[in-house]
Amino acid sequence: MRYAAQRLAQAIPVFFATTFLIYAMVFALPGDPILALAGDKPVPEQVLAVMRARYHLDEPLLVQYGHYMLGVFRGDLGETFTGQPVSELLQDRWAVTAQLALTAWIFELVVGIGLGVLAGLRRGGAADTAVLAGTTFVIAVPVFVVGYTAQIVLGLNLGLFPTAGTDEGWPGSYLLPGMVLGSFGLAYVARLTRTSLVENLRADYVRTATAKGLSRRRVVGLHALRNSLIPVVTYLGVDFGNLMAGAVVTEGIFNLPGIGQQVFQSIQLQEGPVVVGVVTLLVMIFILANLAVDLLYGVLDPRIRRARA
């Protein structure tokens, strides 16, 4: 409990510092969002004053941020400059992006670790060479190229997956975009697992376990793989937030109405409250994911728990 409390205490200042930085950058963008609502039409000064007072745009930045954080603690992410609550705007879109990111994350976890273990156990062999070459190729190809190619070949030509929209629900509509979104992370997970496993298989404790007569499966599964997963868990924990934040291109290719698409539209319309609301939620996800990773460290290796406590 002390170990968990320390991790949580460290996360609090990170949350405030990150959200303030994002808030300051978003509202420091040039242009007046109130004037942007009217387009080319003139707006009376009285109307501008009322609207700026309503959204606290006439107050210092720190005061604006204080009003925003008070709303966040009450579960209120604010409202758009057209009067629509941000939480209501993101309600349906958030579910789409979360399901997409979860599909991609599971794809990374299962396939990435599986390929990494296969390559690590057959170091220097054909499987190892194929995994290294394949992951290098995936890392080198931009995600939009992978997306359009998969959509045409696997979706249109072969008819294996839906090509756009969410009509079939989860997981049907999310399998192909999830694989595209998770392909980059999968390559890193596979290579990281492979490198870490090869290193641990050379360690003294593995040779000792083998000398004691333990089976190969027990040596690899219980000893080598468990320690090898520590850096992999770190990457997977952080990458879930990256998948949530980086789904803009994938959502555009497969026409998924997620938060990435909404953020892109909000930036064009200078809807700062929407952008800040989305980023605040993403920051929370990053912090919770890192907290979960830190706690999982202690499960995988008790030495880490004792050292940090």
Side-chain angles (χ1 to χ4, degrees), residues 200-286:
N200 279 283
L201 287 174
R202 298 172 178 172
D204 292 337
Y205 71 89
V206 172
R207 286 195 292 267
T208 302
T210 304
K212 287 181 177 180
L214 297 180
S215 65
R216 177 70 171 173
R217 176 178 298 181
R218 188 173 178 83
V219 170
V220 173
L222 185 62
H223 296 282
L225 184 58
R226 183 175 179 178
N227 288 329
S228 301
L229 288 180
I230 292 178
V232 179
V233 166
T234 303
Y235 180 84
L236 286 171
V238 175
D239 196 48
F240 186 77
N242 289 332
L243 293 172
M244 292 285 293
V248 178
V249 175
T250 307
E251 288 177 358
I253 294 173
F254 293 95
N255 194 27
L256 300 176
I259 60 171
Q261 189 181 86
Q262 181 63 56
V263 168
F264 181 74
Q265 295 172 356
S266 299
I267 292 175
Q268 291 181 313
L269 298 174
Q270 295 185 3
E271 283 284 3
V274 179
V275 179
V276 173
V278 170
V279 174
T280 299
L281 293 175
L282 292 176
V283 168
M284 292 180 182
I285 291 175
F286 269 106

Side-chain angles (χ1 to χ4, degrees), residues 15 81 143 257 273 284:
F15 172 74
F81 292 125
V143 65
M284 292 180 182

